[in-house]
Amino acid sequence: MGDVSLRRALRASNEPHERINTRKTLIIESSPDDDLVNLEFLDEEIIISHLQKRYDELQVYTYVGDILIALNPFQNLSIYSPQFSKLYHGAKRADNPPHIFATADAAYRGMVTFCKDQCIIISGESGAGKTESAHLIVQHLTFLGKANNRTLREKILQVNPLVEAFGNACTAINDNSSRFGKYLEMKFTPTGAVIGAKISEYLLEKSRVIKQATYVLPRYIDSQHCKVMQDIVSSKLYTEQFDAIQECFRNIGFTEEEVNSVYRILSAILNTGNIEFASITSQHQTDKSEVPNSESLENAASLLCIGPEELQEALTSQCVVTRGETIVRTNTVDKAADVRDAMSKALYGRLFSWIVNRINSLLQPDMNICATESGMNVGILDIFGFENFKKNSFEQLCINIANEQIQFYFNQHIFALEQMEYQSEAVDAGLVEYEDNRPILDMFLQKPMGLLSLMDEESRFPQATDQTLVDKFEDNLRCKYFWIPKRVELCFGIQHYAGKVMYNVKGFLEKNRDTLPADVVVVLRTSENKLLQQLFSSPLTKTGFRRFHSVNCAAAYCSRECSGNLATSRARVTAASRSLPPRLGSGRTKMDTMEMMRHPEETTNMRRQTVASYFRYSLMDLLSKMVVGQPHFVRCIKPNDDRQALRFGKERVMVQLRYTGILETVNIRRQGYSHRIPFDEFVNRYYYLAFRAHQLPLTNKENVVAILERAKLEAWVLGKTKVFLRYYHVEQLNLLLREVIARVVVIQAYTKGWLCARRYRKQTQKRNRGAVIIQSAWRGHVARQNLKQIKKERQEAATRIQSAYRGHQVRRRNGHRDPPEAGGKTAEEERAGTKCDKEHTDHTHGGNVGLDSRDRQGKDIKRDGGRAEDVVTKPSRETVRLRDMQCKQGPVMKLQQRTPRRRGQQPKLLNSPEDSLYYNQLNRTLDYQGSKRKPRKLGQIKLLDGEDEYYKLLSTAESIPEEEYATDRTPPALSSGPLVSHS
């Protein structure tokens, strides 16, 4: 239901205001006609009519078994959105119509399921849509390999637009033609997450920088008037394209300094093309050249950060080292122009290699995430398509040889290897005849009599010409695929797999040599531009790719003095050449000497390689990468040469179907077995379908049959050591295996959930017990603290109660001592009391102080009520003893002065009866004086004014023993003066 609703929504979204403006409705539902193998009758006419019907319905993709045919619609289709990526993610191929996303998904699933590298090979003519197909595959693979780093996915998506901005061109048959070969490797973890990418470039066409051929038009050339537009900067289209390139640089990770250096070198290439030469005649030389207009020269030198005199000297003269001596020769106008063009091509080619190398360094996988050995790759080959122009040159020859190699790989994988295994495994399968292009490849690549070897041999002769090259081809290439046309000079023809092509030999040798004078290398190495120093200080690999090292290392060696000139550099070269062995120093050009001085690790043969040699090694390197992975083929078809939408040219499509072998491919996919799996690998991969997971069955033929019968497959064949399956059998087995694994995953999920729940309950119980223990310990601690506080409060309260009660007892005793009803005294006590009272009366002022105290005691007795009725009021024996002692001492004894206490000192505790009597007397006095004052608030401090008699009494009176007041029967009345003892 979800797919149906998605299809309806996508169909409804195709409205006129969108970029796609077509009257036809996109059909995105699968049908039996999606695969040409399912056709009942099969011939060329039926295939053409079937493809035309689908193309008219905007069904641009068609299956031929596991091979995808893609017709270029020449318009934008709304079938590449993220919704379609979700629709084809992990879906069965028969559930959805053919799509480029289905091929990418099959490669991704094969990589994750079988842990094997995959390779997607996109082939077709120039303008058939290979580059756009590569973009869509990268888009879907980044969607499938969802990495945690979103920035990495954005970087990978920006790789193709950036390299195409420098490596593509607008030709007569294609607005965005690839002028180089590109193999993009997307790197994944074993779980399928993308972690990086690497790009390899092959055979960049550099000649278009110096001269535009009739089939190549730069983006800024008006095709109608063939003149440079004056509004390049003001053009909105070019402004948007330039901003897009700037965004690519930033997203991938180029620094601002690197981008500025790239633009400076590009500007220098353009200005170098404007340098013109003129011949001058001197007394001794007639072939000398010079630069009449120095403006372009100065601009180029300024952009390259070199001196204009040095640049002019390098362009107009050459240096040859012979037997340790340096000979300087002047260049003619033609020779100077060739040096200028060679420098421009070298700058462009090395800059492009540096950009590719820099992209690889910024997108390399993080070794902390995944080791190199455990990672897996999905390679995407986007190479220049087969080309046949009115005038074909050396570049078209190399491009078409590369396409011959790709076609040979396709034939080998689809036809040759499959039929060889039929014979070796004794499988009865019908053999399919196909057009084998191996003889053509042998004519090109074999040694020493192949076309490329003959061209390399002729390039080593300094006096060789293009005509001698044609003669050598005619004398040595005796093959039906090669011929020399009559009455046409400097031409030869080749019968390629895609048709006959005529090549013009003019410039073949010079382009194959691709020589760069050593003087130019010396000057450019002394540039102040660090990037330019690095471009001309890095060694070459066998494929012509440069290994770039640190910029600082190159700059340290190639530092330049501002006031220097070329002579200084030439002197260094001469000195270096003298130190070489004789066999290397003699007869060598300065380029070899300089290269030996800079890169001693390179071999002599590597430095003498030609463009054809680099191309040969590039093909070998490309094939070595392709054969490692499981291939997936995408055949791009060009419906017409006018690049018009909804126009299907039957003849044009028929030619492409014939030379790509589509009819033979359909036949072999019908009759043959595209998947050939050894018994042990098959059993180990699919034994879950027929055996229990814990069982390890033997890898024999019986177990293979048991698995196939349990999967209910038909039309399979067993060989001696392999099982042969149709192209759709593997998909069915993978779907069944996925279902079994899904059920296992569900069981594991429930089991793991139950185990986790039990573990969680145990952990919860353990935590609860721990919490109870902690709570119990804390509560016990709090209870003990509370108990201590309660005990302390009770002790303090008991102390206060005891103090109050003792004071109350003392007050009651003092209040009931004199009255007769308070209790009688013994005769001895009365006599002692009388004697002491008499002596005390003689030495003290008479007065009424005791009367007031007695009245106060009476009030206290009344206030206490009946609570003190049972208290005995007799004086203690200690009190009587002290009073007797005082009476014996007589009046001579003086009252002892108490030591005053400091402020804040602890209050005096009532430890003796004398203290109790003394403080009780003070309390009565304070109560009496306090009754006349207003009560103070808590914490308020009483200020001593002159009116307070009580505090006057305390401040001037000496300490009076408590016994004086305790023995007086009639306490004197409180007087205004202080109590002073008589001495």
Side-chain angles (χ1 to χ4, degrees), residues 348-611:
Y348 175 68
R350 298 180 187 219
L351 178 63
F352 185 78
S353 296
W354 178 85
I355 292 174
V356 172
N357 186 81
R358 183 63 177 150
I359 291 174
N360 292 336
S361 64
L362 292 172
L363 296 183
Q364 62 183 354
D366 188 359
M367 294 297 101
N368 297 327
I369 300 177
C370 179
T372 306
E373 298 78 12
S374 60
M376 295 176 293
N377 302 329
V378 175
I380 305 165
L381 176 62
D382 176 21
I383 201 167
F384 21 56
F386 188 86
E387 293 181 349
N388 186 6
F389 300 109
K390 293 181 180 180
K391 183 180 179 180
N392 301 287
S393 185
F394 179 74
E395 292 78 15
Q396 281 66 50
L397 177 65
C398 295
I399 288 173
N400 292 339
I401 292 175
N403 280 272
E404 288 279 0
Q405 184 70 68
I406 299 302
Q407 179 64 25
F408 175 75
Y409 177 78
F410 176 81
N411 292 338
Q412 286 292 109
H413 184 79
I414 299 300
F415 303 107
L417 297 178
E418 186 170 331
Q419 296 184 6
M420 288 174 58
E421 291 202 21
Y422 293 159
Q423 297 176 1
S424 62
E425 293 287 330
V427 174
D428 186 11
L431 300 180
V432 177
E433 296 183 359
Y434 65 96
E435 189 68 26
D436 189 6
N437 65 335
R438 187 183 185 91
I440 304 177
L441 276 180
D442 292 339
M443 182 192 70
F444 284 125
L445 303 177
Q446 71 180 355
K447 293 182 179 182
M449 303 305 294
L451 188 145
L452 295 182
S453 297
L454 293 174
M455 186 165 53
D456 286 344
E457 181 182 348
E458 193 70 13
S459 298
R460 294 188 178 96
F461 293 104
Q463 303 300 326
T465 62
D466 295 332
Q467 185 60 49
T468 59
L469 178 63
V470 174
D471 296 339
K472 178 170 285 191
F473 286 164
E474 186 176 8
D475 294 339
N476 295 279
L477 297 178
R478 300 185 180 278
C479 177
K480 67 177 181 178
Y481 303 104
F482 175 86
W483 77 93
I484 301 292
K486 296 180 180 180
R487 295 184 296 274
V488 180
E489 295 182 355
L490 301 178
C491 284
F492 66 90
I494 299 293
Q495 178 65 48
H496 287 282
Y497 78 99
K500 297 180 179 180
V501 180
M502 295 294 298
Y503 295 98
N504 191 331
V505 187
K506 185 178 180 179
F508 262 46
L509 291 177
E510 192 63 30
K511 292 178 180 178
N512 186 43
R513 292 183 183 125
D514 195 22
T515 56
L516 180 63
D519 303 272
V520 177
V521 177
V522 171
V523 172
L524 295 178
R525 281 179 176 176
T526 57
S527 172
E528 294 177 352
N529 190 328
K530 294 182 180 180
L531 176 58
L532 191 59
Q533 294 174 7
Q534 189 182 13
L535 295 183
F536 288 88
S537 303
S538 301
L540 283 172
T541 62
K542 287 187 176 182
T543 62
F545 188 77
R546 295 199 167 267
R547 299 188 298 262
F548 290 100
H549 304 294
S550 173
V551 177
N552 295 329
C553 295
Y557 180 84
C558 300
S559 59
R560 166 184 175 268
E561 296 180 1
C562 298
S563 59
N565 52 25
L566 187 59
T568 306
S569 302
R570 284 174 172 171
R572 293 201 303 268
V573 176
T574 304
S577 63
R578 290 175 181 172
S579 62
L580 295 177
R583 62 184 182 87
L584 293 178
S586 60
R588 295 288 302 275
T589 63
K590 183 192 171 193
M591 183 63 182
D592 292 336
T593 305
M594 193 66 185
E595 286 295 318
M596 176 60 71
M597 182 179 67
R598 285 294 292 121
H599 306 296
E601 72 274 10
E602 291 183 342
T603 62
T604 304
N605 293 333
M606 188 182 299
R607 285 192 300 279
R608 290 182 176 178
Q609 279 185 347
T610 60
V611 174

Side-chain angles (χ1 to χ4, degrees), residues 130-410:
K130 299 184 299 300
T131 300
E132 188 63 28
S133 298
H135 288 181
L136 297 172
I137 290 174
V138 173
Q139 172 186 332
H140 191 66
L141 287 177
T142 53
F143 170 81
L144 296 175
K146 294 178 180 178
N148 296 329
N149 189 356
R150 182 180 178 183
T151 306
L152 177 61
R153 299 198 300 269
E154 295 177 354
K155 288 181 180 180
I156 295 176
L157 292 175
Q158 298 290 342
V159 168
N160 283 335
L162 182 58
V163 295
E164 289 168 9
F166 288 86
N168 287 20
C170 179
T171 65
I173 60 177
N174 188 3
D175 289 338
N176 189 27
S177 177
S178 297
R179 312 313 299 170
F180 70 104
K182 176 181 59 181
Y183 187 76
L184 178 63
E185 295 176 273
M186 296 185 63
K187 300 183 179 298
F188 297 84
T189 62
T191 58
V194 60
I195 57 174
K198 180 183 178 182
I199 185 171
S200 303
E201 52 99 2
Y202 303 99
L203 198 66
L204 175 68
E205 183 184 341
K206 299 179 289 186
S207 60
R208 65 188 181 93
V209 177
I210 59 174
K211 181 175 64 175
Q212 300 296 333
T214 56
Y215 58 87
V216 178
L217 297 176
R219 300 295 180 88
Y220 49 85
I221 296 296
D222 189 349
S223 59
Q224 295 181 356
H225 302 89
C226 293
K227 64 180 181 179
V228 179
M229 295 184 187
Q230 301 298 327
D231 58 343
I232 294 178
V233 179
S234 60
S235 174
K236 183 178 179 181
L237 175 62
Y238 291 113
T239 301
E240 293 176 353
Q241 292 178 351
F242 182 76
D243 293 339
I245 297 303
Q246 288 281 84
E247 187 68 20
C248 289
F249 274 124
R250 285 192 295 268
N251 291 341
I252 293 177
F254 285 80
T255 63
E256 192 69 23
E257 181 182 359
E258 292 173 342
V259 176
N260 292 334
S261 298
V262 170
Y263 290 151
R264 288 181 67 90
I265 294 175
L266 291 177
S267 302
I269 294 173
L270 295 177
N271 282 273
T272 302
N274 296 330
I275 299 176
E276 300 293 339
F277 301 95
S279 61
I280 58 174
T281 304
S282 61
Q283 183 178 0
H284 303 286
Q285 293 179 338
T286 59
D287 55 353
K288 188 176 181 181
S289 60
E290 66 174 2
V291 179
N293 186 7
S294 61
E295 181 180 0
S296 299
L297 179 67
E298 292 176 354
N299 291 338
S302 175
L303 291 169
L304 294 174
C305 300
I306 58 178
E309 297 82 5
E310 297 177 11
L311 179 59
Q312 181 176 355
E313 188 177 357
L315 294 177
T316 58
S317 64
Q318 59 179 335
C319 174
V320 179
V321 179
T322 304
R323 295 181 181 179
E325 295 184 0
T326 302
I327 301 175
V328 179
R329 297 177 180 175
T330 59
N331 293 332
T332 62
V333 174
D334 294 337
K335 181 63 176 178
D338 292 340
V339 174
R340 175 202 61 194
D341 295 343
M343 186 183 75
S344 298
K345 292 191 294 183
L347 286 171
Y348 175 68
R350 298 180 187 219
L351 178 63
F352 185 78
S353 296
W354 178 85
I355 292 174
V356 172
N357 186 81
R358 183 63 177 150
I359 291 174
N360 292 336
S361 64
L362 292 172
L363 296 183
Q364 62 183 354
D366 188 359
M367 294 297 101
N368 297 327
I369 300 177
C370 179
T372 306
E373 298 78 12
S374 60
M376 295 176 293
N377 302 329
V378 175
I380 305 165
L381 176 62
D382 176 21
I383 201 167
F384 21 56
F386 188 86
E387 293 181 349
N388 186 6
F389 300 109
K390 293 181 180 180
K391 183 180 179 180
N392 301 287
S393 185
F394 179 74
E395 292 78 15
Q396 281 66 50
L397 177 65
C398 295
I399 288 173
N400 292 339
I401 292 175
N403 280 272
E404 288 279 0
Q405 184 70 68
I406 299 302
Q407 179 64 25
F408 175 75
Y409 177 78
F410 176 81

Side-chain angles (χ1 to χ4, degrees), residues 900-916:
R901 292 193 302 276
R902 293 189 301 273
R903 185 175 180 181
Q905 189 176 358
Q906 279 299 108
K908 181 171 176 63
L909 298 179
L910 302 180
N911 296 327
S912 63
E914 295 84 6
D915 294 335
S916 300

